[in-house]
């Protein structure tokens, strides 16, 4: 070995251990995250007795399938009332758990008296899980730690000393089966009908508000997540990011919000067609808040839109249809990935290494006028395709109409596809999407759990639906706030007689996701992990779990992989809107509001010194009214008056454009942020020039004085700061002239807050 070679090798080692450089992290991202290391044959064998593969005859095939969610939500309701008294937890034998949790569970089907619905126990549920998810993780605790979890005696001592973690599963709904199994594996304690004293973890089936009486512990839903993931809000959030970072956010298909953007949509499409007559794009219409393919249809001409019918038009998103998806066996498929948002502040994201691939049941053809209504060809929803006679329920994880994502990746790898790149692109898509959602989620969070008031902390498992294009580029279809966690599927065993039978693929993926989410949320684990350096935390989270009689058993290694803050360096420059949100929250105060009143907006302008003789406070009021009104007309369902975050962001962009005319939008916004942050920092240091204006409310005083972390302050390499603090804003040309007096008289009314209603379906 030459000296030179040794030198280079040593340098490389040093670079690795110092963790320097974005490039290295990018390389790591690719190296670390690939989940397919072995063929699907290595995936745990699930006994054939576990899942009889059976094809279900389509009972009610329909093109739009409007009735599906109704019957399903009925089932959900039934499950809500089936909390049984908790059985004493049987001791775990190795990794095999026998579960009869379902036996005798009453289920009503009032809508179809002739059908008998029996529910079978899930039988042998968890065989081979250790093998599937990897081997037990070796743990290296620091030397000064007195307990060695590898030492069986020590581990037993720890297990005995600790009380089991308590989980309230009363509101778990369709997640119940997978949750019960996970709790058993962890040897934690389940409270199926709730508990008088507080639990450590509350598992809700739908929303944060499933139980509004929780003042401590952790809830598996964030306030506002359902609202944020409705199709229109997701589109708006991504679109704001597309304005700032068009290239980074090009994974979301071009979309228009209906009915408000119908005209724009029509015009843009006709212009595109005029430019190129050969262009015959297809569009997919998705009702806002829809799920399971409900109400979705394809069109080729804006005139074919069904939603434009009188004044009561349905809120929807119309989206460019991806007409060249990647096919396997000539079938279109999508990917369901489970993502855990462990915390918003600091932002922590985990991705499940295993996901599901859901296949269409009719061979794909590019859209034509003839095949637009063929849902089994164009839509990959399980709930639709399961009604097709072609749907294949399979015992295997790598065949049938629902497979593991790893088996698909393995198949692609065998054809020479660079799956590391695919996986790394998917991780990037997930992180960017969550970065787009976080700003508004923080507003909801502060409104429901104001700082300083008792309340739970939150985490949430999200279901990302991703399509791979023919060129392997991942495209975001949607994100589900309540991804189905069912591990059984309905099967018609004889005409009119249905049974629930275990679904090995669902069980394989979903039990791991829930169990490992719980492990990460273990209150003791959380506390002890934070005392270790970040790089060790993930490793340590595979440590023996606590629980009486656990005997130091080591669980499978985590199926959830941390991706944020792990990849902070690559993505933090995208957190610009979060910095604007920090300003918004600061001037909103901590009274539980989600909308900024005119006084709060004036205070923001004054404290950040954005007004002067060319940009008077009267003009500020006009800006406030103008933007707020526009957003109120776009959000007709909204019952709260005032300036919401999206309107504030729009006003902020406007101010930035006025002030830094010559720059691209992204730099304008960052420059204005720097001006504002510098002003507020000065005030924090007691700069007399930064004193609060005379009309500031006491709540604003309080919120201004409390420092908040400002995400994404790492300056993007391309960003050049050009802010000139003394530079004045020139007067805007606004369309709604209103006197400042009128604005302040509205102050009280604008502050009247009606809490939004929280509705949401559990996806099945
Ligand atoms: P839902 O919440 O009703 O399931 P989705 O947005 O997930 O709505 O769309 C349903 C299905 O339609 C997806 O699973 C996918 O197969 C197909 N789909 C959705 N958007 C597109 C698109 N832009 N291009 C191609 N196919 C799409």
């Amino acid at each position: 070995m030459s000296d030179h070679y040794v030198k280079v090798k040593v340098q490389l080692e040093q670079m690795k251990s110092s963790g320097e450089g974005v490039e290295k992290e990018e390389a790591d991202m690719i190296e670390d995250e690939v989940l397919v290391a072995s063929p699907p044959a290595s995936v745990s064998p699930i006994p054939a007795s576990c899942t009889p593969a059976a094809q279900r005859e389509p009972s009610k095939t329909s093109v739009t399938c409007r009735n599906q969610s109704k019957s399903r939500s009925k089932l959900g309701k039934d499950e809500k009332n089936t909390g049984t008294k908790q059985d004493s937890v049987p001791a775990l034998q190795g990794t095999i758990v026998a579960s009869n949790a379902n036996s005798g569970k009453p289920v009503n089907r009032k809508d179809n008296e002739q059908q008998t619905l029996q529910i079978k126990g899930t039988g042998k549920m968890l065989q081979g899980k250790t093998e599937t998810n990897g081997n037990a993780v070796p743990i290296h605790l620091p030397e000064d730690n007195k307990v060695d979890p590898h030492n069986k005696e020590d581990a037993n001592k720890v297990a005995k000393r600790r009380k089991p973690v308590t989980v309230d599963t009363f509101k778990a709904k369709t997640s119940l089966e997978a949750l019960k199994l996970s709790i058993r594996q962890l040897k934690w304690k389940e409270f199926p009908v709730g508990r008088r004293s507080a639990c450590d973890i509350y598992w809700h089936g739908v929303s944060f508000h499933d139980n509004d009486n929780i003042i401590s512990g952790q809830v598996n839903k964030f306030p506002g997540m359902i609202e944020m993931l409705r199709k229109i809000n997701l589109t708006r959030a991504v679109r704001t990011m597309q304005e700032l970072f068009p290239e980074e956010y090009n994974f979301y298909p071009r979309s228009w919000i209906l009915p408000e953007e119908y005209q724009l949509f029509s015009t843009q499409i006709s212009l595109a067609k005029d430019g190129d007559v050969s262009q015959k794009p297809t569009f997919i219409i998705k009702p806002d808040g829809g799920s399971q393919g409900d109400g979705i249809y394809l069109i080729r001409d804006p005139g074919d839109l069904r939603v434009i019918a009188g004044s009561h038009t349905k809120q929807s998103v119309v989206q460019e249809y991806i007409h060249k998806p990647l096919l396997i066996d000539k079938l279109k498929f999508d990917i369901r990935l489970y993502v855990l948002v462990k915390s918003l502040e600091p932002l922590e994201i985990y991705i499940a290494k295993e996901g599901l691939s859901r296949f269409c049941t009719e061979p794909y053809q590019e859209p034509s006028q003839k095949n637009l209504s063929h849902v089994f060809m164009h839509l990959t929803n399980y709930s639709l395709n399961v009604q097709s006679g072609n749907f294949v329920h399979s015992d295997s994880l790598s065949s049938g109409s629902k497979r593991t994502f790893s088996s698909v990746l393995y198949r692609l790898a065998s054809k020479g596809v660079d799956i590391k790149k695919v996986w790394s692109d998917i991780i990037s898509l997930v992180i960017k999407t969550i970065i787009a959602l976080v700003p508004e989620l923080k507003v909801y969070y502060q409104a429901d759990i104001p700082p300083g008031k008792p309340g739970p902390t939150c985490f949430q498992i999200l279901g990302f639906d991703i399509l791979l294009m023919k060129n392997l580029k991942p495209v975001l279809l949607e994100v589900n706030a309540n991804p189905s966690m069912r591990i059984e599927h309905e099967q018609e065993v004889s005409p009119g007689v249905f049974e629930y039978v275990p679904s090995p693929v669902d069980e394989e993926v979903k039990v791991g996701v829930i169990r490992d989410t719980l492990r990460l949320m273990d209150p003791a684990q959380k506390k002890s992990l934070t005392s270790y350096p970040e790089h060790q935390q993930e490793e340590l989270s595979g440590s023996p779990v606590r629980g009486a009689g656990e005997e130091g058993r080591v669980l499978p290694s985590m199926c959830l992989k941390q991706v944020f803050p792990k990849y902070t360096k690559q993505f933090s420059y995208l957190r610009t809107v979060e910095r604007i949100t920090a300003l918004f929250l600061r001037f909103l105060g901590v009274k539980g509001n989600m909308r900024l009143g005119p006084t709060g907006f004036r205070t923001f302008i004054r404290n950040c010194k954005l007004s002067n003789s060319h940009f008077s406070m009267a003009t500020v009021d006009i800006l406030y009214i103008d933007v707020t009104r526009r957003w109120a007309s776009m959000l007709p369902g909204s019952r709260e008056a005032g300036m919401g975050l999206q309107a504030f962001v729009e006003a902020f962009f406007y101010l930035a454009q006025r002030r830094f005319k010559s720059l691209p939008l992204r730099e304008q916004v960052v420059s204005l942020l720097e001006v504002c942050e510098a002003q507020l920092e000065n005030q924090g240091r007691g700069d007399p020039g930064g004193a609060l204006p005379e009309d500031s409310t006491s709540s604003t005083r309080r919120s201004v004085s409390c420092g908040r972390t400002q995400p994404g302050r790492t300056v993007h390499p391309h960003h050049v700061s050009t802010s000139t603090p003394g530079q004045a804003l020139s007067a805007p040309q606004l369309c709604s002239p209103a006197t400042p007096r009128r604005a302040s008289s509205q102050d009280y009314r604008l502050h009247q807050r009606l809490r939004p209603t929280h509705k949401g379906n559990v996806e099945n």
Side-chain angles (χ1 to χ4, degrees):
M1 197 184 296
S2 75
D3 277 0
H4 175 72
Y5 177 80
V6 172
K7 237 186 210 168
V8 170
K9 205 173 167 214
V10 169
Q11 275 170 359
L12 274 172
E13 290 302 319
Q14 281 169 348
M15 271 174 69
K16 263 189 201 165
S17 58
S18 68
E20 273 172 14
V22 174
E23 290 79 9
K24 179 203 167 279
E25 283 211 17
E26 267 162 6
D28 280 354
M29 187 152 159
I30 290 168
E31 290 303 320
D32 285 1
E33 306 298 341
V34 177
L35 48 97
V36 177
S38 50
S42 72
V43 171
S44 67
I46 306 279
S49 61
C50 211
T51 321
Q55 276 194 12
R56 210 187 120 190
E57 287 298 312
S59 53
K60 41 178 178 176
T61 309
S62 114
V63 170
T64 52
C65 301
R66 283 174 204 279
N67 295 327
Q68 285 305 294
S69 62
K70 276 187 198 149
S71 64
R72 281 170 192 279
S73 58
K74 257 195 184 128
L75 269 175
K77 266 188 200 156
D78 293 338
E79 286 186 10
K80 191 172 146 188
N81 299 322
T82 54
T84 50
K85 281 232 158 191
Q86 192 197 4
D87 303 324
S88 60
V89 184
L92 277 172
Q93 298 292 325
T95 55
I96 301 171
V97 180
S99 163
N100 59 359
N102 269 338
S103 52
K105 193 160 116 183
V107 174
N108 294 324
R109 267 228 158 179
K110 287 180 195 140
D111 53 339
N112 192 346
E113 303 274 308
Q114 279 155 349
Q115 292 178 339
T116 322
L117 187 67
Q118 298 165 357
I119 300 187
K120 273 189 176 175
T122 38
K124 288 184 237 162
M125 300 299 276
L126 296 166
Q127 287 187 347
K129 282 292 181 290
T130 312
E131 295 86 336
T132 307
N133 288 320
N135 299 319
V137 186
I139 305 147
H140 308 289
L141 289 170
E143 275 171 19
D144 59 356
N145 196 311
K146 294 201 174 77
V147 179
D148 171 9
H150 282 309
N151 178 326
K152 213 174 169 186
E153 269 179 33
D154 277 353
N156 283 343
K157 268 188 227 158
V158 173
K160 273 178 197 156
R161 243 188 281 143
R162 288 171 177 167
K163 279 187 192 159
V165 181
T166 53
V167 186
D168 181 333
T169 61
F170 186 43
K171 302 281 181 181
K173 292 195 174 174
T174 50
S175 318
L176 196 62
E177 283 318 304
L179 182 61
K180 274 178 184 291
L181 283 168
S182 304
I183 293 171
R184 285 178 189 203
Q185 282 188 37
L186 294 168
K187 283 280 181 177
W188 289 7
K189 198 162 166 57
E190 184 199 352
F191 288 85
V193 289
R195 189 193 191 195
R196 209 172 281 184
S197 51
C199 276
D200 295 310
I201 292 173
Y202 295 83
W203 201 274
H204 289 181
V206 179
S207 146
F208 174 78
H209 293 283
D210 285 357
N211 176 355
D212 275 322
N213 302 318
I214 303 167
I215 50 161
S216 64
Q218 308 179 79
V219 180
N220 72 321
K221 303 282 177 203
F222 281 98
M225 190 66 93
I226 291 173
E227 289 80 356
M228 276 317 295
L229 294 181
R230 290 172 73 98
K231 292 175 173 59
I232 290 183
N233 282 339
L234 173 68
T235 302
R236 285 197 210 284
V238 174
R239 199 187 270 181
T240 304
M241 298 305 287
Q242 283 173 334
E243 278 183 62
L244 292 171
F245 308 100
E247 272 163 34
E248 288 87 339
Y249 281 84
N250 66 7
F251 56 80
Y252 192 65
R254 209 148 57 108
S255 306
W256 295 261
I257 292 162
L258 298 179
E260 74 194 49
E261 290 172 2
Y262 174 71
Q263 216 47 57
L264 184 71
F265 168 59
S266 250
T267 317
Q268 286 184 350
I269 298 316
S270 348
L271 282 177
K273 280 184 187 165
D274 290 348
D276 176 5
V277 273
S278 68
Q279 262 215 357
K280 203 73 176 120
T282 304
F283 302 93
I284 182 164
I285 321 297
K286 311 179 188 183
D288 188 36
S291 62
Q292 304 176 345
D294 245 7
I296 289 187
Y297 62 97
L298 306 185
I299 58 165
R300 306 202 82 190
D301 192 287
D304 295 338
L305 274 170
R306 288 179 216 159
V307 280
I308 307 295
S311 54
H312 299 289
T313 49
K314 214 172 176 184
Q315 293 262 304
S316 336
V317 166
V318 55
Q319 197 169 73
E320 230 167 42
Y321 185 75
I322 307 297
H323 62 285
K324 284 191 190 301
L326 183 71
L327 305 179
I328 289 185
D329 299 335
K330 300 195 176 124
L331 299 171
K332 177 175 171 179
F333 67 97
D334 77 352
I335 304 157
R336 157 59 56 86
L337 272 188
Y338 297 93
V339 171
L340 169 68
V341 180
K342 186 166 173 255
S343 127
L344 287 184
E345 190 73 70
L347 183 58
E348 284 183 71
I349 308 168
Y350 288 73
I351 299 185
K353 289 188 242 176
E354 184 61 286
L356 296 170
S357 296
R358 297 157 314 177
F359 282 73
C360 276
T361 41
E362 208 177 283
Y364 184 78
Q365 286 167 12
E366 284 200 25
S368 68
Q369 205 57 45
K370 273 192 198 154
N371 69 29
L372 286 187
S373 61
H374 292 208
V375 288
F376 298 143
M377 172 190 292
H378 292 296
L379 308 187
T380 48
N381 300 79
Y382 164 79
S383 51
L384 292 180
N385 283 284
V386 76
Q387 298 176 71
S388 153
N390 295 335
F391 191 93
V392 180
H393 287 287
S394 171
D395 286 354
S396 156
L397 306 182
S398 53
S399 63
S401 300
K402 205 194 255 187
R403 309 176 194 172
T404 56
F405 179 41
S406 61
S407 74
V408 166
L409 279 180
Y410 179 73
R411 177 104 178 247
L412 296 177
S414 70
K415 290 184 175 162
V417 167
D418 180 359
I419 56 168
K420 287 177 179 178
K421 167 93 171 72
V422 172
W423 186 234
S424 147
D425 288 347
I426 288 176
I427 290 175
S428 162
L429 174 154
V430 166
I431 296 174
K432 287 174 187 170
T433 305
I434 290 178
I435 286 178
L437 295 168
V438 164
E440 199 100 25
L441 287 174
K442 282 189 168 176
V443 178
Y444 276 101
Y445 200 92
Q446 174 163 313
D448 272 302
I449 314 170
K453 295 239 171 92
T457 55
C458 305
F459 61 95
Q460 187 152 355
I461 298 169
L462 304 175
F464 271 70
D465 289 350
I466 293 166
L467 191 72
L468 286 180
M469 286 168 58
K470 199 174 177 185
N471 64 4
L472 298 167
K473 182 180 153 61
V475 169
L476 177 69
L477 297 178
E478 68 157 344
V479 189
N480 287 284
N482 291 311
S484 167
M485 285 294 170
R486 274 187 189 278
I487 51 171
E488 68 282 309
H489 63 84
E490 242 178 282
Q491 189 188 317
E492 193 169 21
V493 285
S494 58
V497 181
F498 288 87
E499 277 181 357
Y500 273 118
V501 295
S503 163
V505 181
D506 288 298
E507 198 183 308
E508 170 66 27
V509 176
K510 296 174 185 174
V511 173
V513 170
I514 292 188
R515 183 196 58 229
D516 289 349
T517 296
L518 290 174
R519 283 163 87 184
L520 285 168
M521 303 318 296
D522 176 345
Q525 188 93 312
K526 258 177 109 182
K527 250 186 241 158
S528 61
L529 282 183
T530 48
S531 59
Y532 294 102
E534 213 171 77
H535 69 274
Q536 272 184 25
Q537 290 182 14
E538 208 176 312
E539 191 186 10
L540 288 167
S541 53
S543 61
V545 286
R546 58 197 249 190
E550 192 55 41
E551 306 296 319
R553 188 175 65 85
V554 176
L555 283 169
S557 67
M558 296 290 284
C559 74
L560 292 170
K561 188 97 186 135
Q562 195 201 72
V563 292
F564 205 90
K566 187 170 183 183
Y567 301 122
T568 304
K569 275 187 196 160
Q570 289 104 307
F571 297 99
S572 65
Y573 75 97
L574 299 174
R575 301 177 76 187
T576 311
V577 181
E578 244 180 293
R579 285 168 67 188
I580 302 175
T581 308
L583 297 175
F584 178 79
L585 288 172
R586 187 166 182 149
F587 290 95
L588 193 63
V590 290
K591 282 184 176 168
N593 299 335
M594 289 180 66
R595 302 284 171 104
L596 195 64
T599 310
F601 189 66
R602 282 172 142 241
T603 311
F604 152 68
I605 297 284
R606 284 200 178 154
N607 284 19
C608 294
K609 297 217 166 111
L610 300 181
S611 72
N612 55 32
S613 56
H614 302 293
F615 190 71
S616 68
M617 289 313 277
T619 325
V620 168
D621 288 333
I622 297 173
L623 173 64
Y624 175 87
I625 291 171
D626 192 61
V627 174
T628 305
R629 248 191 216 159
R630 220 175 65 74
W631 277 92
S633 71
M634 286 194 296
L635 306 168
S638 162
R639 292 156 63 189
E640 200 180 338
M643 180 184 258
L645 177 67
Q646 288 164 335
F648 183 79
V649 170
E650 185 185 312
F652 196 91
F653 281 16
Y654 174 80
L655 295 169
Q657 279 163 335
R658 303 288 309 190
R659 183 155 184 160
F660 301 101
K661 281 198 181 84
S662 57
L663 300 177
L665 178 67
R666 184 197 308 192
E667 287 170 28
Q668 289 171 337
V669 169
V670 174
S671 302
L672 190 65
L673 268 170
E674 284 171 0
V675 170
C676 296
E677 287 164 358
Q679 284 299 336
L680 295 172
E681 218 172 294
N682 283 342
Q683 286 160 35
R685 286 202 220 103
D687 168 15
L692 289 170
E694 64 289 352
D695 64 348
S696 62
T697 60
S698 57
S699 77
T700 315
R701 280 178 205 280
R702 193 168 63 239
S703 66
V704 166
S705 63
C706 69
R708 285 177 191 280
T709 45
Q710 279 155 0
R713 293 218 55 186
T714 327
V715 180
H716 185 246
H718 304 314
H719 171 247
V720 186
S721 172
T722 46
S723 61
T724 38
Q727 200 177 325
L729 287 156
S730 51
Q733 308 298 307
L734 297 167
C735 52
S736 54
T739 61
R741 207 154 51 84
R742 194 168 124 208
S744 49
S745 73
Q746 287 181 332
D747 198 356
Y748 175 74
R749 195 172 56 77
L750 291 171
H751 269 101
Q752 295 296 299
R753 176 166 185 261
L754 291 165
R755 288 171 86 82
T757 48
H758 294 275
K759 286 184 189 164
N761 294 327
V762 179
E763 188 217 13
N764 279 289

